[in-house]
Amino acid sequence: MKYFLTGITGFAAPHLARILLKDDHEVHAIIRGSSGREFDLLDVLSVDEIKKIKFIYGDLTNYQSLFRIFNKNQYDGVFHLAAQSHP
């Protein structure tokens, strides 16, 4: 199955990604910029696990960004784990 995750650079989403990958699911995750933040996940995920995740660059606050993502991909489920980090 193919899943879409938000909040991949937060606390919970990398742990969920690990579980999904272990069960051979395809994981796509939205990330704000292509500045190498994917490797901030090394404290939770291995390099091999990170390489299995398809990172999609976009912004949850931008409708067009989300429309593009969901228009291009079909997902079996969405896990919305993103939150404002400093309210």
Side-chain angles (χ1 to χ4, degrees):
M1 297 182 91
K2 183 160 70 167
Y3 294 101
F4 181 77
L5 278 66
T6 67
I8 193 66
T9 57
F11 176 76
H15 295 282
L16 176 59
R18 170 176 272 159
I19 292 167
L20 293 171
L21 291 169
K22 183 180 175 197
D23 290 339
D24 292 323
H25 295 294
E26 187 176 341
V27 175
H28 292 201
I30 191 168
I31 194 165
R32 266 185 250 148
S34 58
S35 61
R37 293 206 54 209
E38 303 90 337
F39 292 97
D40 289 348
L41 303 172
L42 283 171
D43 54 340
V44 177
L45 300 171
S46 70
V47 172
D48 289 336
E49 289 169 324
I50 291 171
K51 287 180 180 180
K52 289 180 184 177
I53 297 171
K54 180 178 180 192
F55 292 98
I56 300 171
Y57 303 101
D59 187 340
L60 287 177
T61 64
N62 182 297
Y63 173 79
Q64 290 300 324
S65 180
L66 292 175
F67 182 82
R68 176 183 47 84
I69 292 166
F70 288 103
N71 195 36
K72 186 177 179 181
N73 299 283
Q74 295 288 318
Y75 296 104
D76 296 299
V78 174
F79 294 94
H80 179 43
L81 302 172
Q84 188 175 0
S85 59
H86 300 285

